[in-house]
Amino acid sequence: MPNSIKKLEEAFKEGKYDQLLKDIYVDEKKISYERNRYIKAVESYTVHFGEGEVSVFSAPGRSEIGGNHTDHQCGEVLAASINNDAIAIVQKLKEPCVKVISDGYELITIDLDDLDRREDEAVTTNALIRGVLAKTKEYGYQIGGFQAFVTSDVLIGAGLSSSAAFETLMGTILSYLFNDGRISPIEIAMIGQFAENVYFGKPSGLMDQMASSVGGFITIDFADEKHPVIDSVKFDFTKSGHALCIVDTKGNHADLTPEYAAIPAEMKSVAAFFGKKVLREITKEQLLENICAVREKCSDRAVLRALHFFDDNERVGKEASALSEGDFDAFLSLINESGDSSFKYLQNIYASSAPNEQGLSLALYLAKQALGGEGACRVHGGGFAGTIQAFVPEKKLESFKAEMERVFGEGSCYVLSIRPVGGVQIDL
């Protein structure tokens, strides 16, 4: 139910939401930070929109855990929501428009009677909002007017999907404000993907939005692209004795599009040798039986990348099983195997066009040194430049963070945890 601005602010200041914040953000050390963050968001809403009856919503960023470059071959992935999120203070409006102010940006106004895609809005927040509204309506759900102040601590450029968190946030608002929470997390994810692909203009798979919307650890099987199979993986990460660290090596992302594009292109060339579109339609055994002819037709690197796909795709199921069975050591071993495969066979750790720039290679070496045979580390996301992921024992967290930031700069190591829920309304 909506609360008055004053009542909501007082409730946060008095700590009435502290237990809920702990349930959502997991880390008890974050409660004070989150409490103050929500209070500041409420105050900012008041500055922009004045007093009123408001509701509060949250949607998390995500981290790819297993399955590196498997999704575009209709493979499987393991992903998880993280305890960094986008939050919104929202009031329902009678007028047919949506007004959104994101922290530090100008007011966006979208007319509910004008939801067609606009060329001039490509790659803008306007496009994401308009796209979510249009697809929600197309799905047969109600939409309506609202005004919102949004703030996010999902880091941009760190591979944690700040755009998916925003899309999920918009979908969650529409679900609770106008549809009694009936829009499923899977539908919200598909609505978000549509907004990003069609209105925003960025091609992306469904992993980002699904992990943000569903929450916790999930596996996604893309064998049927139009109907992916999503399963939740029950595991309490807080009891693992580890932190999830994302290290930003601050590499140069410029002109890397050809490097990224070559991975699916080469994998598909191997599938095409067998008359198929993607690697999921053939087997590793078929490739090995015909390896000489495939090498000649497609190249050694294409073969190696295909072999990575088969092995990493199989690892996803093993990783999920290890978590379900509570065998975290087996899970860590599989994460290390995945990282090794990405380095040797997928070869997305540095760009072949810029061999002197190897921040990810260096970060992985330093991470392994700092971990001293414990934990795990691997490339995070697309690769070539950007971030690595590490599961760090809590006893080594301080020294690990210090070493990463000594080399890659202050603030380069983000300490996260796995959030158990996806998009939610906070003030139920």
Side-chain angles (χ1 to χ4, degrees):
M1 293 291 292
N3 288 307
S4 71
I5 285 284
K6 191 167 293 185
K7 182 179 177 184
L8 186 65
E9 188 173 356
E10 287 175 359
F12 274 110
K13 286 180 177 178
E14 292 169 5
K16 291 182 179 179
Y17 286 105
D18 282 6
Q19 184 55 52
L20 182 57
L21 294 177
K22 185 177 184 301
D23 292 342
I24 293 172
Y25 296 100
V26 181
D27 186 351
E28 197 156 355
K29 296 189 292 292
K30 285 195 73 172
I31 291 178
S32 177
Y33 162 78
E34 295 296 346
R35 186 195 308 121
N36 291 331
R37 183 169 165 244
Y38 278 91
I39 291 168
K40 185 178 177 181
V42 171
E43 291 171 347
S44 296
Y45 175 93
T46 307
V47 169
H48 293 292
F49 297 117
E51 298 288 336
E53 297 284 314
V54 297
S55 299
V56 184
F57 298 88
S58 159
R62 70 96 186 103
S63 179
E64 171 208 290
I65 307 295
N68 195 215
H69 281 279
T70 52
D71 56 341
H72 51 67
Q73 299 302 300
C74 295
E76 299 182 48
V77 297
L78 173 65
S81 55
I82 58 170
N83 61 348
N84 281 19
D85 66 345
I87 63 174
I89 313 299
V90 184
Q91 182 176 2
K92 215 170 180 179
L93 295 177
K94 291 181 180 179
E95 56 187 302
C97 68
V98 169
K99 301 176 181 179
V100 176
I101 293 181
S102 293
D103 198 6
Y105 293 89
E106 296 295 319
L107 174 68
I108 294 170
T109 302
I110 305 292
D111 187 339
L112 296 186
D113 295 321
D114 180 16
L115 298 181
D116 291 338
R117 178 180 174 273
R118 294 185 177 185
E119 286 287 347
D120 62 348
E121 282 187 350
V123 201
T124 67
T125 304
N126 302 53
L128 294 179
I129 299 170
R130 199 182 301 273
V132 168
L133 287 163
K135 197 64 174 178
T136 301
K137 186 176 180 180
E138 185 182 313
Y139 271 27
Y141 290 108
Q142 295 295 314
I143 61 172
F146 65 86
Q147 58 191 21
F149 174 80
V150 175
T151 183
S152 176
D153 65 2
V154 182
L155 301 151
I156 297 172
L160 301 174
S161 288
S162 56
S163 59
F166 183 84
E167 294 150 14
T168 298
L169 185 67
M170 292 297 109
T172 303
I173 290 169
L174 292 173
S175 180
Y176 283 96
L177 281 192
F178 304 105
N179 297 278
D180 299 320
R182 290 184 294 106
I183 309 179
S184 73
I186 291 173
E187 289 174 308
I188 289 173
M190 295 178 80
I191 288 167
Q193 184 199 23
F194 169 85
E196 185 155 330
N197 289 176
V198 179
Y199 277 60
F200 188 81
K202 177 185 175 183
S204 68
L206 191 58
M207 176 182 71
D208 296 351
Q209 292 82 4
M210 200 68 76
S212 176
S213 185
V214 176
F217 284 101
I218 62 167
T219 58
I220 311 173
D221 188 338
F222 292 103
D224 182 346
E225 287 185 283
K226 293 184 178 179
H227 302 94
V229 177
I230 298 95
D231 287 313
S232 292
V233 180
K234 301 301 180 186
F235 180 76
D236 186 351
F237 185 72
T238 63
K239 296 179 180 177
S240 70
H242 289 70
L244 170 62
C245 291
I246 301 297
V247 180
D248 184 0
T249 64
K250 307 190 188 308
N252 183 5
H253 290 260
D255 300 322
L256 288 176
T257 299
E259 299 280 356
Y260 292 119
I263 294 178
E266 290 178 13
M267 288 183 176
K268 287 178 180 178
S269 75
V270 174
F273 178 91
F274 296 93
K276 303 297 183 181
K277 290 184 178 180
V278 292
L279 289 175
R280 189 66 182 272
E281 297 177 303
I282 68 171
T283 66
K284 181 179 176 180
E285 289 67 32
Q286 283 178 285
L287 173 55
L288 291 173
E289 286 171 8
N290 295 275
I291 194 166
C292 295
V294 179
R295 287 181 66 196
E296 185 175 345
K297 178 74 173 176
C298 303
S299 82
D300 284 346
R301 191 171 72 170
V303 170
L304 287 168
R305 286 175 163 172
L307 290 170
H308 162 82
F309 166 81
F310 291 119
D311 290 347
D312 222 38
N313 197 54
E314 184 179 348
R315 261 187 290 269
V316 168
K318 293 178 180 178
E319 289 162 350
S321 294
L323 289 174
S324 296
E325 294 164 7
D327 191 346
F328 199 68
D329 287 340
F331 168 77
L332 292 174
S333 179
L334 290 161
I335 293 295
N336 279 323
E337 284 181 20
S338 176
D340 190 52
S341 180
S342 290
F343 208 145
K344 291 180 180 176
Y345 310 125
L346 181 61
Q347 299 178 30
N348 67 332
I349 308 303
Y350 63 91
S352 57
S353 57
N356 292 331
E357 298 176 22
Q358 296 201 32
L360 292 182
S361 306
L362 181 59
L364 290 167
Y365 180 90
L366 295 171
K368 286 184 180 293
Q369 289 290 112
L371 290 170
E374 298 184 82
C377 61
R378 68 192 280 274
V379 63
H380 184 245
F384 300 113
T387 58
I388 69 162
Q389 174 189 85
F391 289 90
V392 182
E394 290 174 355
K395 63 185 179 182
K396 293 189 173 182
L397 182 57
E398 189 175 331
S399 60
F400 180 90
K401 187 173 188 291
E403 176 63 2
M404 293 299 106
E405 297 196 340
R406 179 181 73 86
V407 178
F408 299 105
E410 187 176 350
S412 60
C413 183
Y414 308 110
V415 181
L416 308 171
S417 191
I418 306 300
R419 163 172 160 154
V421 294
V424 291
Q425 183 173 356
I426 297 290
D427 54 338
L428 293 174

